[in-house]
């Protein structure tokens, strides 16, 4: 587990300019379609528990007790390991306190058929131009916890597989079907084709979220942190809901609002 063998000796990456590390930085920055950048023992554990494998892993020479079995499992699943000097590995890291292991893995893929053949009433989440990866990852995790069937991200949103988004999702992005970069018209058409009511969150709406029948097939739309849902999507929605709040508070963080709405859906469906 000391890296690829070349000419009978273990290869150790010692330069930040190494081509493999340049590729890793492109993956980290979202410039290699179909790939994702995983860092940290907990996230890599979740990836493996979801059946992940293959790809490449970069690791420091000194491994912690938690990292060693992760690398053994990765190697057994066809992942190529590259031992990398600790200071050099830090030049690729996306975290303040690197843990010594970085994995480049293929993004999980799902099909619309997989989602829409669900037996029960669908609960879908649509994200319109969300910009904060922490908010986005938290919503993905909340959606899985509340029993949503899939998350759809519209064009202009933060990458659902960006490193910070993945860390906030804490493994849910590997298990919950996720679709990125859809156009609004495509998402509305999918909802109509599968008889889902489009529910928009709107602080000006007169109908509180507790008055909606969440047992119906539903696509819940959540909007940009500052500007909310774009007007065209609001106009295309079937229902607009608000979350009543004590004044002078006028709005909630979008991830908090998502939790309120999704767990009301879960309560109603239970």
């Amino acid at each position: 587990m000391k890296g690829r063998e070349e000419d009978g000796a273990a290869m150790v990456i010692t330069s930040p300019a190494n081509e493999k590390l340049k590729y890793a930085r492109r993956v980290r920055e979202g410039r290699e379609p179909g790939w994702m950048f995983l860092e940290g023992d907990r996230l890599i554990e979740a990836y493996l528990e979801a059946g992940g494998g293959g790809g490449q892993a970069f690791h420091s020479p000194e491994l912690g007790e938690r990292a060693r079995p992760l690398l053994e499992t990765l190697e057994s699943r066809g992942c190529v390991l590259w031992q990398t000097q600790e200071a050099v590995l830090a030049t690729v890291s996306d975290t303040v306190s690197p843990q010594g292991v970085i994995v480049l893995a293929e993004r999980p893929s799902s099909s619309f058929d997989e989602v829409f053949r669900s037996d029960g009433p669908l609960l879908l989440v649509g994200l319109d131009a969300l910009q904060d990866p922490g908010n986005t990852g938290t919503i993905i995790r909340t959606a899985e916890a509340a029993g949503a069937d899939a998350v759809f991200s519209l064009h202009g949103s933060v990458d659902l597989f960006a490193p910070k988004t993945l860390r906030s999702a804490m493994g849910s992005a590997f298990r919950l079907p996720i679709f990125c970069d859809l156009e609004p018209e495509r998402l509305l058409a999918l909802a109509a084709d599968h008889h889902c009511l489009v529910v928009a969150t709107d602080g000006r709406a007169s109908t509180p979220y507790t008055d909606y029948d969440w047992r119906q097939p539903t696509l819940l739309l959540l909007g940009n942190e500052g500007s909310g849902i774009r007007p065209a999507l609001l106009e295309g929605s079937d229902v607009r809901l608000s979350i009543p709040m004590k004044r002078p508070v006028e709005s909630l963080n979008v991830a908090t609002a998502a939790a309120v709405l999704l767990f009301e859906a879960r309560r109603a469906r239970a």
Side-chain angles (χ1 to χ4, degrees):
M1 218 170 34
K2 296 181 179 179
R4 250 350 222 318
E5 295 286 326
E6 294 192 1
D7 299 326
M11 175 182 175
V12 180
I13 296 176
T14 59
S15 170
N18 181 278
E19 289 300 321
K20 297 177 181 63
L21 295 186
K22 290 181 180 179
Y23 177 78
R25 294 186 188 97
R26 292 199 301 273
V27 174
R28 182 193 66 197
E29 295 162 6
R31 294 190 288 123
E32 290 293 337
W35 290 85
M36 57 185 178
F37 183 99
L38 311 180
E39 184 173 9
D41 297 345
R42 188 172 181 182
L43 185 62
I44 295 169
E45 281 175 353
Y47 167 71
L48 291 172
E49 288 169 0
Q56 303 181 63
F58 301 85
H59 66 92
S60 60
E62 300 299 324
L63 296 174
E65 292 183 6
R66 194 172 181 180
R68 189 172 299 278
L70 293 182
L71 287 175
E72 290 174 352
T73 302
L74 284 164
E75 190 172 35
S76 72
R77 296 185 187 180
C79 182
V80 179
L81 307 184
W82 302 105
Q83 187 176 152
T84 308
Q85 283 186 350
E86 188 169 348
V88 173
L89 189 62
T91 67
V92 184
S93 174
D94 189 63
T95 63
V96 175
S97 302
Q99 295 181 28
V101 181
I102 291 169
V103 175
L104 310 182
E106 288 189 80
R107 298 184 179 202
S109 61
S110 301
S111 69
F112 290 142
D113 288 344
E114 175 187 344
V115 172
F116 291 114
R117 64 168 174 254
S118 173
D119 292 334
L122 289 165
L123 178 59
L124 310 174
V125 179
L127 307 179
D128 182 25
L130 266 69
Q131 298 300 302
D132 184 88
N135 281 337
T136 304
T138 299
I139 291 170
I140 292 170
R141 184 162 179 78
T142 301
E144 184 188 28
D149 295 285
V151 172
F152 298 84
S153 177
L154 296 180
H155 181 70
S157 297
V158 69
D159 184 1
L160 268 60
F161 290 98
K164 291 179 181 177
T165 310
L166 288 172
R167 289 199 297 274
S168 294
M170 298 175 65
S172 292
F174 308 138
R175 300 182 294 264
L176 185 66
I178 286 176
F179 301 91
C180 300
D181 211 29
L182 275 73
E183 293 298 335
E185 299 78 10
R186 175 62 167 147
L187 182 57
L188 293 178
L190 281 170
D193 290 345
H194 295 89
H195 311 292
C196 288
L197 288 172
V198 178
V199 173
T201 51
D202 183 357
R204 298 163 297 180
S206 59
T207 304
Y209 73 100
T210 49
D211 285 0
Y212 176 70
D213 184 358
W214 291 96
R215 295 170 296 177
Q216 303 171 94
T218 298
L219 165 62
L220 172 63
L221 294 178
L222 300 164
N224 175 272
E225 290 89 346
S227 57
I229 297 171
R230 70 188 78 182
L233 275 175
L234 276 177
E235 292 171 8
S237 64
D238 300 297
V239 181
R240 300 185 192 184
L241 300 178
S242 63
I243 300 174
M245 283 173 268
K246 183 179 178 180
R247 297 298 178 185
V249 179
E250 295 182 350
S251 64
L252 295 174
N253 170 278
V254 65
T256 303
V260 170
L261 297 163
L262 287 168
F263 275 93
E264 172 62 15
R266 181 169 179 80
R267 184 202 63 79
R269 290 171 178 231

